[in-house]
Amino acid sequence: MATEKIGILTGGGDCPGLNAVIRAVVKGAAKKGWQVLGFKNSWKGMIDNETIELNDRSVSGILHRGGTILGTSRTNPYKSEGAVAKVRAAFVTHGLKALIAVGGEDTLGVAAKLADEKMPVVGVPKTIDNDLACTDFTFGFDTAVNIAMECLDRLHTTAESHNRVIVCEIMGRHAGWIATYAGLAGGADVILIPEVPIEIDHVCEVIRNRHARGKLFSIVAVAEGAKFAGKDVTQEEKLDQFGHVRLGGVGQILAELIEKKTGYETRVTVLGHIQRGGSPTAFDRVLGTRFGIGVLNLIEKGQFGYMISLQGDKIVAAKLKDATGSLKLVPKEFYELSKIFSG
Ligand code: F6P
């Protein structure tokens, strides 16, 4: 009997823990007697037939490495003529019994549509933003939070030495999970997230109150997607293939406003891709590994159109459509918690 083959691709922004998933899939598949074919740079690899044979040797030594050995991109096959047909053809050309799409709302949104069109696709949820529904956590988030927390710790000492306000811009396009967790863990005095419009006068009042109490420095953690009166602050208006603008700049605007309104010297630090690079934490390595093994079980059971997910401490299946239908935002009660430590 010919060996069965499965495909795997990683899409969207890279994320610490992707290599842990790839390694687990390859090692777990070998135990089932399946071969694994990697597609390079997300859906682009399926469209352009760019592949990598994955085996025990190619996944050796990658567990601790950030990024993805498969490469990634924000390619949307539904945005270019004939691309979906090429994706379908790739299943036939390579004799794939299933495809594993590892990604966030965009990549898994494509996976859900392909599964609807009867292609054997399953998903693994990934995003540092942690905003994907139907899973308590995505891998990459814990690493990003720990990096951002360490940066906040470092900003504290320099802010305190200079009696400055430091605004730290943290990733988080639609949801403020990283800013909320890192802000809580790193003792930020103000946390601002996309879910709650920025009230600049309130922010300044909190900082002034600290000064009145003799705390002559403040740390403001702001998610890049936080908005003034509902408007995104963007670096450019151009949209990517999934309709997203490039965010960035809210920290600078905020810092200027704080300095102008309070008179306190203010600086800004943008963490950017530092939060996505480098080695995954133990939590993300283990979650990626559990997801990689779990998704193979979905294939075995023929649960196409599903992704693997974490609910409580259990690895369970969730419908891709449910996971990509709406985003998981920071609940109001959780965000409110940060106010207890504000100022
Ligand atoms: O979706 C993950 C994310 O890191 C967001 O937090 C951020 O807005 C975006 O990706 C940045 O994307 P890029 O790497 O394409 O600039």
Side-chain angles (χ1 to χ4, degrees):
M1 204 179 74
T3 315
E4 293 187 294
K5 201 191 273 182
I6 61 171
I8 183 168
L9 58 82
T10 54
D14 73 328
C15 183
L18 279 167
N19 286 326
V21 177
I22 298 167
R23 172 179 175 269
V25 163
V26 172
K27 287 187 177 279
K31 291 268 185 295
K32 295 181 191 291
W34 302 347
Q35 277 178 8
V36 185
L37 185 67
F39 289 93
K40 289 190 195 170
N41 304 320
S42 185
W43 302 109
K44 190 173 179 301
M46 286 197 97
I47 298 163
D48 297 343
N49 196 24
E50 290 174 351
T51 61
I52 311 178
E53 289 289 341
L54 294 172
N55 52 39
D56 211 46
R57 180 181 283 200
S58 47
V59 298
S60 160
I62 67 169
L63 178 61
H64 62 285
R65 276 174 56 193
T68 160
I69 60 164
L70 293 177
T72 185
S73 72
R74 297 193 190 272
T75 307
N76 184 351
Y78 285 92
K79 286 285 171 192
S80 49
E81 189 76 34
V84 174
K86 287 186 180 164
V87 169
R88 185 185 291 282
F91 280 93
V92 181
T93 310
H94 298 289
L96 300 182
K97 90 188 229 114
L99 175 81
I100 301 170
V102 189
E105 44 149 348
D106 298 330
T107 309
L108 296 185
V110 170
K113 283 192 195 167
L114 296 173
D116 249 8
E117 296 190 39
K118 302 279 173 268
M119 285 175 244
V121 184
V122 288
V124 174
K126 163 247 62 154
T127 165
I128 63 160
D129 288 358
N130 197 40
D131 57 359
L132 206 73
C134 300
T135 185
D136 289 352
F137 290 102
T138 44
F139 60 86
F141 171 65
D142 185 64
T143 307
V145 167
N146 276 288
I147 294 168
M149 177 194 73
E150 196 197 326
C151 291
L152 290 177
D153 287 350
R154 289 174 185 274
L155 292 175
H156 260 98
T157 58
T158 173
E160 188 166 15
S161 304
H162 286 266
N163 294 339
R164 282 174 175 158
V165 178
I166 298 192
V167 174
C168 180
E169 187 178 303
I170 293 175
M171 273 189 173
R173 206 201 295 262
H174 308 290
W177 287 104
I178 309 177
T180 304
Y181 264 73
L184 278 171
D189 303 298
V190 179
I191 300 175
L192 301 167
I193 61 174
E195 290 87 336
V196 183
I198 300 173
E199 285 179 40
I200 187 65
D201 290 333
H202 176 70
V203 172
C204 292
E205 191 188 313
V206 169
I207 296 170
R208 272 195 217 97
N209 287 344
R210 278 175 57 77
H211 270 240
R213 292 194 340 261
K215 291 274 188 187
L216 304 183
F217 73 98
S218 294
I219 301 292
V220 178
V222 59
E224 60 178 352
K227 297 167 190 50
F228 293 96
K231 202 171 170 338
D232 275 334
V233 181
T234 60
Q235 291 190 47
E236 55 178 25
E237 290 303 311
K238 215 177 94 198
L239 301 182
D240 70 13
Q241 290 197 352
F242 289 95
H244 303 301
V245 285
R246 225 171 116 208
L247 296 177
V250 68
Q252 183 62 39
I253 296 175
L254 199 57
E256 283 167 17
L257 282 172
I258 291 171
E259 186 163 290
K260 200 166 133 211
K261 284 177 176 275
T262 63
Y264 306 140
E265 192 181 20
T266 305
R267 294 284 191 272
V268 59
T269 296
V270 179
L271 300 188
H273 292 82
I274 295 275
Q275 295 157 99
R276 274 204 345 226
S279 210
T281 57
F283 181 88
D284 286 337
R285 294 181 201 194
V286 173
L287 185 59
T289 300
R290 293 178 80 193
F291 278 176
I293 297 300
V295 78
L296 295 174
N297 297 332
L298 296 188
I299 295 174
E300 204 150 45
K301 290 186 202 148
Q303 281 186 288
F304 302 120
Y306 280 75
M307 70 170 197
I308 202 69
S309 74
L310 179 73
Q311 284 168 25
D313 64 353
K314 301 251 178 321
I315 298 292
V316 297
K319 276 197 178 141
L320 280 171
K321 265 202 182 149
D322 295 342
T324 54
S326 61
L327 287 167
K328 182 182 70 189
L329 302 178
V330 176
K332 196 161 178 284
E333 341 46 281
F334 185 32
Y335 177 65
E336 292 293 322
L337 196 85
S338 71
K339 301 242 176 92
I340 297 172
F341 308 99
S342 197

